Structure formats: C-alpha cells, structure tokens
Amino acid sequence: AMNFVFDELISYFEENLVRDYVIHVVGSGWKDFLNNMQYYSENVVIHGVVTDDGLQCIYNQCLFSLAPLKYGSGVKGKVIEAMYHSLVVITTPVGVEGIKCNTLNSFKTAREMTEECNRVINSENYWLQTVTGYQEYLLDSYSISSLDKGLRI
C-alpha cells in the first residue's frame, strides 16, 4: 500500500488535487520501511504508533482516510473506524470487502482516488451524502439495536 502511495498517488495528488494535502501515516513499522525505501515527501507525516487520543486528534484534522489495501480478507477495522469518524474513505476493492454500504466506493487507480478526493473537496453536499450513508450503515449493522435485532429468533 505504501509503495502505491509513494510510487503513484503522491505524484498524482501533486499534479491534480485541488488543494494542499498532508498524508498522516499511523502504525508500527512505517518509519523503518520508509527509511529503507528512501521515500520522502514533505506532505507525509509519519506518526508511528499513537494513543487513542492521538489518533482522535489526527482524525479531527482530516477529511479523508486513505486505505489503498492490496490484500486481506473480511471487514477492515480501519475502514469501519474511519467511517465512524465521518472521514471519506478512499480505498480499493479489498478495502470494501464485507461492507455493504451504498456510499462506500472503491477505486483502483491513483487517478480515480484523486478524482474522488476532488469531488468531496468541491461539494459539501457530496461529502454530507457520503458520511450520512456511512452513519446509516453503521447504525444498521454495528449498533446495539442492530445486535438486538440479529439475536431475536
């Protein structure tokens, strides 16, 4: 995923994104990986492992959650968590596996991802429709009332 971000997405963002951006990288192992690969961009901040409060602070600064997943199976917790925090999720078909939300889209190319970012940046209504769809899906699929419905026989 990080190879894709540095090899393709950042250059496409530089040329086509309609506003300035910062990519926040959260999780263990990324500093060593990026140092070994000799990647650098002034638009990338590597946080490493953060506390829940630190992650909340990052979420509060962002409009999007980037999850360009190339492999994995089942529902991705990082995607559900980003939806919960009303961040528009920019992900691949792997990232949406198991999530049947009408407003969660998947993208295969850097061009498609950048176009979606620009669509959200340029239309508050589109952003609102997207995250409202997320919230409706989460209430229907992950709330206590949905659990109660699922347990009734």
Side-chain angles (χ1 to χ4, degrees), residues 4-29:
F4 170 77
V5 168
F6 278 91
D7 293 343
E8 298 179 44
L9 192 60
I10 287 177
S11 63
Y12 215 90
F13 274 9
E14 293 293 327
E15 295 172 14
N16 300 288
L17 200 61
V18 295
R19 73 180 220 192
D20 293 337
Y21 70 95
V22 174
I23 296 174
H24 296 272
V25 181
V26 177
S28 63

Side-chain angles (χ1 to χ4, degrees), residues 13 24 32 44 59 83 86 89 102 110 118 125 130 132 140 144:
F13 274 9
H24 296 272
D32 291 338
V44 176
Y59 283 147
M83 293 168 67
S86 296
V89 179
N102 293 335
N118 285 335
N125 188 48
T130 301
T132 298
D140 189 50
I144 291 174

Side-chain angles (χ1 to χ4, degrees), residues 99-105 133-134 137:
I99 305 172
K100 295 178 179 17
C101 176
N102 293 335
T103 60
L104 177 63
N105 299 310
Y134 292 174
Y137 169 78

Side-chain angles (χ1 to χ4, degrees), residues 2 23-34 44-52 54-55 58-59 66 78 81:
M2 289 305 293
I23 296 174
H24 296 272
V25 181
V26 177
S28 63
W30 293 118
K31 284 187 179 187
D32 291 338
F33 172 80
L34 295 175
V44 176
V45 177
I46 302 167
H47 298 276
V49 176
V50 297
T51 64
D52 288 343
L55 187 57
I58 294 168
Y59 283 147
L66 183 61
K78 64 182 76 184
E81 187 170 354

Side-chain angles (χ1 to χ4, degrees), residues 72-130:
S73 62
V75 173
K76 311 308 180 289
K78 64 182 76 184
V79 172
I80 295 295
E81 187 170 354
M83 293 168 67
Y84 173 79
H85 288 283
S86 296
L87 301 178
V88 174
V89 179
I90 307 298
T91 192
T92 60
V94 172
V96 302
E97 286 177 359
I99 305 172
K100 295 178 179 17
C101 176
N102 293 335
T103 60
L104 177 63
N105 299 310
S106 67
F107 309 94
K108 294 181 180 177
T109 67
R111 178 186 60 79
E112 291 173 345
M113 290 178 178
T114 305
E115 287 172 354
E116 178 72 354
C117 290
N118 285 335
R119 191 173 301 117
V120 171
I121 291 166
N122 288 324
S123 174
E124 187 174 339
N125 188 48
Y126 182 74
W127 170 83
L128 186 59
Q129 287 176 327
T130 301

